[in-house]
Amino acid sequence: WQNPLSIAISLAAFSISKPIENGVEIDPVVDFKPGVISNPQPFKYTIRPRTEKTAALVREIEKERPFTPSDANTVLSMSF
């Protein structure tokens, strides 16, 4: 249940839309990576808090728990 709940909270708190470049809304190029489990290629988008209260909450959490790099590169370099 954790992932659906996180997705629902994110969608409620943030507005996700097409990017705007030079005042023009850009349609993202959607393409998928090859493989048995297909994932989308990176694409441009805009994420904004829906309210100022949400933005303030994000800033407060960022102060309490600053971003730290993940261990993803370490895991990727492991051989199994």
Side-chain angles (χ1 to χ4, degrees):
W1 287 97
Q2 186 64 31
N3 284 339
L5 183 59
S6 296
I7 292 168
I9 290 170
S10 296
L11 291 174
F14 297 97
S15 174
I16 304 169
S17 60
K18 295 177 183 179
I20 297 176
E21 294 180 3
N22 300 321
V24 177
E25 188 177 75
I26 305 298
D27 285 328
V29 175
V30 180
D31 195 15
F32 291 87
K33 296 178 181 179
V36 174
I37 299 175
S38 184
N39 295 304
Q41 296 280 4
F43 58 93
K44 293 182 180 184
Y45 53 88
T46 300
I47 298 179
R48 291 197 173 111
R50 291 188 184 270
T51 66
E52 183 52 41
K53 187 174 180 179
T54 301
L57 178 61
V58 170
R59 286 191 292 272
E60 188 62 33
I61 291 170
E62 194 173 35
K63 287 179 192 173
E64 291 177 15
R65 298 177 185 208
F67 174 79
T68 56
S70 73
D71 295 322
N73 287 333
T74 302
V75 172
L76 289 173
S77 68
M78 293 179 170
S79 54
F80 297 95

